[in-house]
Amino acid sequence: MRISDWPESMRPRERLIGKGAHTLSDTELLAIFFRTGLPGKSAIDLAQEALLHFGSLNRLCSASLDEFCRIDGLGPAKYSQLHAVLELARRTMHEDMENQLELSSSSAARDYLRMRMARLPYETFTVLFLDVRNRLIAHEEMFRGTLTHTSVHPREIVRMALRHNAASVILAHNHPSGCPQPSQHDRELTRMLSSVLSLMDIKVLDHFIIAGRHFHSFADHGEL
């Protein structure tokens, strides 16, 4: 049965307008995004098939173009639209963070970093530069590549902090493997950067490891 043949009170689009997007399931939200299905397969059916195939909404959104297009009814156009929506969400989050009065809470920084880094297929080391009121000044990707094979130069982070006149920083890198546990190298790097930046009176508020849905906060674990 086509969605247009459903009672109006059951149609995802009408329910979203009437009751809000938060009341819809992942399947219903995807169906609205897909808009159309295939002959004999509604948008709801297509959404259910995609979620079943990938196992979760997160894996669907992280899929490569080739993986995405393996589902009959999904192609480059829908893939492009999906990633445009994801990027809009990231940029909206960035604007919120820039306008937020305080970014010192673990949850606020974590949510922002997960939005930016959780789905990256490569390892990256980024720094959030904050002012004296813990408001975001800039988000800079400082290094890219496996940290054990990439030389993280403290002088570059110090130079950028001075350029932005930052009072504090939040360090972050991701583990594409999905395991958020810090390595000994991660701990040594955190201690070294904290020590170097403290000489410039710049405080390291936290160091996050982002691993998909999971994360590790050095501050929350008393490791700073």
Side-chain angles (χ1 to χ4, degrees):
M1 180 185 293
R2 297 177 303 175
I3 294 176
S4 59
D5 294 328
W6 294 9
E8 190 169 315
S9 61
M10 293 178 61
R11 298 175 197 167
R13 187 179 302 167
E14 283 72 11
R15 288 182 52 228
L16 183 150
I17 293 171
K19 298 184 179 180
H22 67 281
T23 65
L24 273 63
S25 66
D26 291 350
T27 299
E28 291 170 321
L29 290 170
L30 269 180
I32 292 174
F33 172 77
F34 289 156
R35 293 181 56 243
T36 59
L38 295 169
K41 182 188 296 184
S42 70
I44 284 283
D45 295 330
L46 182 58
Q48 287 176 333
E49 181 181 343
L51 284 173
L52 183 62
H53 176 83
F54 288 105
S56 70
L57 187 59
N58 184 59
R59 290 179 180 173
L60 169 62
C61 292
S62 303
S64 68
L65 175 60
D66 181 64
E67 292 169 333
F68 188 84
C69 293
R70 289 175 189 171
I71 302 293
D72 191 25
L74 301 184
K78 283 188 169 63
Y79 180 85
S80 298
Q81 291 167 357
L82 174 61
H83 283 268
V85 168
L86 291 173
E87 183 59 26
L88 284 171
R90 293 187 190 102
R91 295 185 186 190
T92 299
M93 176 74 79
H94 188 270
E95 287 183 4
D96 287 343
M97 300 302 281
E98 286 182 323
N99 296 325
Q100 192 168 309
L101 290 179
E102 188 172 318
L103 189 55
S104 56
S105 72
S106 176
S107 60
R110 176 201 67 207
D111 291 346
Y112 171 74
L113 289 165
R114 285 177 63 188
M115 177 68 71
R116 299 287 299 187
M117 302 173 68
R119 297 185 179 91
L120 295 177
Y122 54 85
E123 191 163 335
T124 179
F125 187 91
T126 68
V127 181
L128 304 184
F129 297 94
L130 312 177
D131 67 13
V132 292
R133 296 176 60 185
N134 293 325
R135 293 176 301 188
L136 182 65
I137 300 171
H139 172 187
E140 303 279 0
E141 181 183 74
M142 303 299 298
F143 311 99
R144 184 179 293 191
T146 304
L147 292 188
T148 53
H149 298 133
T150 300
S151 180
V152 178
H153 299 293
R155 65 178 177 272
E156 292 299 319
I157 297 175
V158 170
R159 182 181 65 82
M160 193 65 71
L162 294 175
R163 174 185 171 187
H164 289 303
N165 195 27
S168 60
V169 299
I170 294 175
L171 312 173
H173 75 278
N174 63 322
H175 284 177
S177 65
C179 177
Q181 293 305 309
S183 66
Q184 184 60 33
H185 180 270
D186 293 334
R187 292 188 170 92
E188 291 172 357
L189 177 63
T190 303
R191 287 193 293 267
M192 181 266 288
L193 291 176
S194 296
S195 177
V196 170
L197 287 164
S198 69
L199 296 175
M200 308 301 296
D201 200 27
I202 299 169
K203 185 176 181 181
V204 175
L205 298 181
D206 209 337
H207 182 179
F208 285 94
I209 299 174
I210 306 297
R213 296 183 180 182
H214 308 290
F215 74 99
H216 179 91
S217 163
F218 279 71
D220 286 355
H221 287 78
E223 297 174 297
L224 280 176

